Amino acid sequence: MDIKFNQNEDHNKLLVSDLKKRFAKVKLGGGEKSIEKHHSKGKMTARERIDYLLDPKAKAIEIGAFAGEGMYEQYGGCPSGGVVVKMGYIKGKQCIVVANDATVKAGAWFPITGKKNLRAQEIAIENKLPIIYLVDSAGVFLPMQDEIFPDKEHFGRIFRNNAVMSSMGITQIAAVMGSCVAGGAYLPIMSDEALIVDKTGSIFLAGSYLVKAAIGESIDNETLGGATTHCEISGVTDYKAKDDKAALDKIKSIIDKIGDFDKAGYNRAESKKPKENPEDIYGILPKSRADQYDMKEIIKRLVDNSEFDEYKEDYGKTIITAYARIEGWAVGIVANQRKLVKTKKGEMQFGGVIYNDSADKATRFIANCNQKKIPLVFLQDVTGFMVGSKSEHSGIIKDGAKMVNAVSNSVVPKFTIVLGNSYGAGNYAMCGKAYDPRLIAAWPSAELAVMSGNSAAKVLLQIETASLKKKGEKITKEKEEELFNKIKSRYDDQVSPYYAASRIWTDGVIDPLDTRTWISMGIEAANHAPIEKPFNMGVLQV
């Protein structure tokens, strides 16, 4: 091992250590005092409920753990978006579990809470997975009601999705384990089956204070909408549970009796560990996002037996296309090669840049994987498409459009891992969030933006200085440097993988060593949903 490997390793392990510290903080939700208060009511926390519900020792992944990070600080923040979402197994069946975190503003819905809930439902719909809602929420966070209430991707879309999933035959089970008020009351009742915990669970369109104000009726919340009322009088709920664990046990029992599912039929063989040590990734991945490295060495540490069959190996070298297996599942890998490569004509091509030939190769490979019914895995470390007169005259826009078309119209499930750079149109062509990957995760080394912080700062500096000069201000070298550093600092915050994760542009920031699990569980989920339409790229300028 050389000194650079050791430096890279130290840097990336520090990034992973920071990831774990951030996650440990997020797991506390509203904080230790809020957790103690929650426990004093005889209630489990959202994470405790999920952990009890999921099969012990079985694999699970958390979606959107960093949602809301750094947002809503004026209201005290919203860790994990005030809701915990996990994909795991209940009685051996793969499911999505959504649990309101009542330690965060009593489980109130912020705008990011709605977005995260919709993402959980999207995953359930795409993969036809059973979804379980553990409800404990005070409803919409009123100071921000204009950003969560009326639009297509706001609160009401949740209930529309409940109805659509029911018509698709996707199992939905809800347990009311705390407050469930106003419009939120529709979620459990629009599920297939609803449970309610005695004395702590309640459902009503309006609580006792609002009822008194509206119609003058005096009534307590338990009589108005408690477990006895809804299980014995209204018939709104189907099961009464004495406490949280009893409710979760009932869910396990219901899930245990669900029949088998139709399978998409993706190819799977016996899972084998990589021959090359996956921990080497920390030393291979460079500290600087500008440095070159061989993406093939990363792939060897992600795929079974460290073996892959490269497609068009000597053509379009700035994109690697290869068939491989990950935890036994057959996959087609599309990865940005990050080292300087030489073409047969003797020309040098920059790593991480998409050229005409690499775009053409990727398009053909994506089409092949669709024909063979092989899921696609995109490994992103891309600065964008090649620019300049030579590329423009060669039709780079046309070749790039073909690749974007193939990604857009792909019918096999797609999975995206952002290793490093994810800039501009490169993000699109390599299956960024806008292109419907079933799951998208970033490593702590990732950067997502229109362009790098350095490049963007230079462009923005030119605009800023021109504006100041128009106003008659003299720009000294020191002033220019000060402006540059200020702009770059602001932009660097925005390219962070945590900035992207907080807004759910990715499903999470993960340790590179968890990549195989994310992809494997993702393909297993996708296997629940047979492909319903043929692959068709539409009209292209060939």
Side-chain angles (χ1 to χ4, degrees), residues 54-55 58-61 63 86-97 123-124 127-132 170-171 255 258-261 268 329 415 439 517-529:
L54 296 179
D55 294 345
K59 290 181 178 179
I61 58 176
I63 309 296
K86 284 193 180 182
M87 179 191 288
Y89 302 88
I90 302 171
K91 294 294 183 179
K93 291 182 174 64
Q94 199 171 18
C95 301
I96 298 287
V97 185
I123 293 170
N127 300 292
K128 296 187 176 176
L129 285 181
I131 184 166
I132 292 90
I170 297 171
T171 298
I255 293 288
I258 295 175
D260 203 358
F261 56 90
R268 192 177 198 184
W329 294 104
F415 303 89
L439 293 173
T517 297
W518 272 69
I519 293 170
S520 174
M521 286 190 67
I523 298 174
E524 184 181 350
N527 204 36
H528 288 70

Side-chain angles (χ1 to χ4, degrees), residues 143-204:
M144 301 190 75
Q145 65 86 25
D146 60 322
E147 296 182 48
I148 182 64
F149 170 62
D151 210 346
K152 184 177 177 179
E153 293 185 348
H154 285 176
F155 193 61
R157 188 76 171 182
I158 303 287
F159 317 130
R160 176 265 185 194
N161 286 351
N162 289 142
V164 168
M165 283 192 279
S166 185
S167 73
M168 293 173 67
I170 297 171
T171 298
Q172 299 176 85
I173 300 169
V176 179
M177 310 180 84
S179 297
C180 185
V181 299
Y186 287 105
L187 184 148
I189 312 313
M190 293 191 75
S191 299
D192 303 322
E193 295 183 79
L195 304 84
I196 185 167
V197 178
D198 196 19
K199 301 295 185 288
T200 55
S202 59
I203 311 172
F204 33 67

Side-chain angles (χ1 to χ4, degrees), residues 280-335:
D280 289 346
I281 289 171
Y282 300 133
I284 296 166
L285 199 66
K287 179 178 179 179
S288 168
R289 291 286 83 244
D291 285 356
Q292 305 273 297
Y293 64 96
D294 189 352
M295 180 65 82
K296 291 181 185 179
E297 293 303 315
I298 298 287
I299 294 172
K300 286 177 185 176
R301 287 151 179 87
L302 294 176
V303 301
D304 291 10
N305 256 345
S306 300
E307 296 174 346
F308 55 92
D309 301 311
E310 201 167 346
Y311 171 81
K312 287 185 178 288
E313 182 178 0
D314 297 318
Y315 176 73
K317 291 183 178 181
T318 64
I319 284 185
I320 299 163
T321 49
Y323 299 107
R325 290 189 183 276
I326 292 178
E327 292 200 358
W329 294 104
V331 296
I333 294 173
V334 181

